[in-house]
Amino acid sequence: MRHSPVIPSGGPVPLAGGTAPGRVPLVAVAHGSRDPRAAATVAALLDRVPLDVRVAYLDHCAPTLGQALTGLREAVVLPLLLTEAYHSRVDLPAALNEVRAREPRLRVRYGHTLGPHPLLLTALERRLGEAGVPAGDPDTAVVLVSAGSSDARANAVVAETARAWRRSGWWTVTPAYASAASPTPAEAVASLVRAGAPRVVVAPYLLAPGYFADKVRRDTLAAGASLVADVLGASPELVDVLLERYEAAQRQPVTLAG
């Protein structure tokens, strides 16, 4: 797998070694963060994807989507985002339309976000298991923490994911949001402690470490959580989801507005 590095300024970002014969390049677009751990986590994830990959960022990091697409005749563009919200519905389509206006011969297939997907629950359970929490433990209440969105539809998907995960046998699973919605992670933990949950743990529905992940860990432990699992990161389940989204985008790409 080959992916472009994070670079400090603009300009073309070539694929290392060229494109594998017969395979359309993948451009994976992450949110971006000032925290270098986030870009390192994205790189670690993409290093496990057996395709020719370029990485792009919406904010804080280079390359931009336009830079990552430079020199390509065709590409599959996938949002490295866990929910469908403003970035995937508005920002990314707008950026792609700008590129297509400049490069009308460029053929781009746009795919769905990583979530929702059943394998993401498997990845969440993997991270909790690594922290010593057996899957579906009836004496454990889980707080499922997403970044949160001003788009109520995205938050509703997280809430539905929590309801689906609850059926695995946990004491309960409660959604919480690190920003833009309620309850906050600390509020959700405190509520479960008051409700008599034998143990409360936190499962971050976050791709990479950074400001949100650090704040969630600090605030929820202070509110009474027993432990906080690691972010999803470069889990094998995310690799499988990426590959599934890549194949689906070629068969039935998401229609871009505008």
Side-chain angles (χ1 to χ4, degrees):
M1 193 289 296
R2 304 182 254 293
H3 64 85
S4 52
V6 179
I7 58 174
S9 58
V13 186
L15 287 170
T19 303
R23 302 296 283 173
V24 178
L26 167 62
V27 178
V29 188
H31 184 278
S33 171
R34 293 185 179 90
D35 191 319
R37 294 174 297 169
T41 300
V42 170
L45 172 62
L46 297 182
D47 277 338
R48 304 183 72 165
V49 178
L51 297 168
D52 285 332
V53 181
R54 293 185 177 195
V55 66
Y57 294 95
L58 289 168
D59 202 3
H60 303 304
C61 302
T64 64
L65 178 58
Q67 291 167 348
L69 287 167
T70 298
L72 296 179
R73 293 189 297 272
E74 61 179 336
V76 172
V77 174
L78 293 181
L80 287 184
L81 304 169
L82 296 172
T83 56
E84 293 271 2
Y86 189 85
H87 288 313
S88 62
R89 292 191 174 111
V90 179
D91 287 345
L92 266 172
L96 277 173
N97 285 329
E98 287 181 11
V99 174
R100 292 196 305 177
R102 295 195 306 267
E103 303 288 345
R105 289 181 291 182
L106 173 65
R107 185 182 181 191
V108 174
R109 302 174 185 89
Y110 185 47
H112 287 284
T113 55
L114 298 175
H117 195 288
L119 281 176
L120 295 181
L121 290 181
T122 306
L124 289 164
E125 289 189 345
R126 171 189 291 276
R127 293 303 185 220
L128 283 171
E130 291 167 353
V133 182
D137 178 14
D139 290 326
T140 297
V142 180
V143 177
L144 177 66
V145 179
S146 79
S149 173
S150 58
D151 188 328
R153 293 170 295 181
N155 298 330
V157 169
V158 174
E160 177 55 36
T161 299
R163 282 191 291 271
W165 199 14
R166 197 177 298 155
R167 294 193 288 269
S168 298
W170 303 102
W171 196 82
T172 193
V173 180
T174 298
Y177 309 93
S179 68
S182 61
T184 68
E187 288 170 346
V189 168
S191 177
L192 290 169
V193 170
R194 288 195 302 270
R199 176 170 66 165
V200 180
V201 302
V202 176
Y205 192 57
L206 302 171
L207 180 63
Y211 171 78
F212 278 153
D214 289 348
K215 187 174 189 302
V216 166
R217 178 175 296 276
R218 182 175 61 250
D219 291 354
T220 56
L221 290 174
S226 297
L227 61 88
V228 180
D230 199 0
V231 296
L232 293 170
S235 62
E237 294 83 5
L238 262 68
V239 174
D240 290 341
V241 174
L242 264 174
L243 291 171
E244 183 178 316
R245 298 300 194 218
Y246 170 84
E247 298 295 345
Q250 294 184 83
R251 295 191 307 269
Q252 191 173 2
V254 175
T255 301
L256 293 174

